[in-house]
Amino acid sequence: EAAIVRQLGVWASGFEGQVWHFFLCETAVSLPNQWTHFTTDGGGHTFAFFWQPLRQPPTEEWHPLFQNAWRFLQGELLATD
């Protein structure tokens, strides 16, 4: 179970009208460093996730959309520090 501590920002991604919401959450239990999630839509997809330290910039391997999201989030965090 996770609890929302505060909203970090709302970002209009510019991709297919998507608007992303970022939140700072706290959990009562430890979370794994990496995990996968399988969906059954479109014949099935497996998504792989990992935690990224906020102070560590993304690598060039990241999709540009996620690089832009990270930059947005960095700007929001620096504005509140």
Side-chain angles (χ1 to χ4, degrees):
E1 185 172 314
I4 295 173
V5 175
R6 67 181 170 101
Q7 184 176 28
L8 298 175
V10 178
W11 178 58
S13 72
F15 177 73
E16 296 184 355
Q18 293 179 3
V19 176
W20 296 20
H21 296 256
F22 296 93
F23 295 90
L24 174 63
C25 298
E26 291 182 349
T27 65
V29 298
S30 296
L31 300 173
N33 290 328
Q34 300 177 50
W35 68 99
T36 59
H37 178 74
F38 180 76
T39 64
T40 57
D41 60 318
H45 302 279
T46 300
F47 293 90
F49 299 92
F50 62 94
W51 295 108
Q52 171 73 15
L54 289 175
R55 301 213 184 274
Q56 180 180 332
T59 66
E60 290 300 315
E61 294 175 315
W62 284 36
H63 187 281
L65 181 65
F66 295 108
Q67 291 183 36
N68 290 337
W70 182 87
R71 281 191 280 278
F72 167 80
L73 191 52
Q74 282 298 306
E76 292 296 305
L77 292 173
L78 292 174
T80 61
D81 278 353

